[in-house]
Amino acid sequence: MAGHLFGYEAALAIDGQARPLREARAALEAAAFAGDGCRGCPRPSGGELQPIAARFLEDLRAGSYDGSLEASTASRLASLLRYATGVMPLDAYQLDSEGRHAPASSSTTSPTP
């Protein structure tokens, strides 16, 4: 019985840590469909993702995800959140993404390091 309760509480804690990521995904999806002509769709403000990203990055720095998120995944998420919030310019995405072009990049050539 104690093992089941421990597992249940651990699952709740991990699920609670995923909340910022679910909120970020919902904000990004709403932003992606905002120009879709959807009349009932929520329209996110430009800064809606910033507090969500800040909370995730703060928890990441505090080590809250050490037991439930791989380091490579955490690194990629942190990088993507910085691009999505405008902290990093979208044109620099190509350098971090193994040569793939940035979605809004007007350049088709690889940047010189």
Side-chain angles (χ1 to χ4, degrees):
M1 177 88 166
H4 289 285
L5 288 175
F6 177 79
Y8 175 75
E9 292 298 325
L12 283 178
I14 291 170
D15 186 62
Q17 288 179 329
R19 180 169 308 204
L21 299 176
R22 283 194 298 269
E23 291 173 358
R25 185 173 107 185
L28 289 170
E29 285 177 351
F33 293 113
D36 218 7
C38 178
R39 292 192 177 137
C41 294
R43 305 285 188 224
S45 63
E48 186 174 318
L49 190 57
Q50 289 178 349
I52 298 167
R55 186 174 59 199
F56 172 78
L57 293 172
E58 182 180 316
D59 289 345
L60 185 63
R61 282 189 294 274
S64 299
Y65 296 102
D66 287 353
S68 59
L69 192 62
E70 290 186 15
S72 62
T73 303
S75 175
R76 284 193 307 265
L77 281 171
S79 178
L80 289 172
L81 285 172
R82 287 185 182 107
Y83 288 114
T85 57
V87 172
M88 298 281 295
L90 195 54
D91 289 337
Y93 175 77
Q94 185 176 2
L95 296 172
D96 283 345
S97 61
E98 302 169 357
R100 292 180 295 231
H101 295 290
S105 176
S106 59
S107 171
T108 57
T109 60
S110 297
T112 55

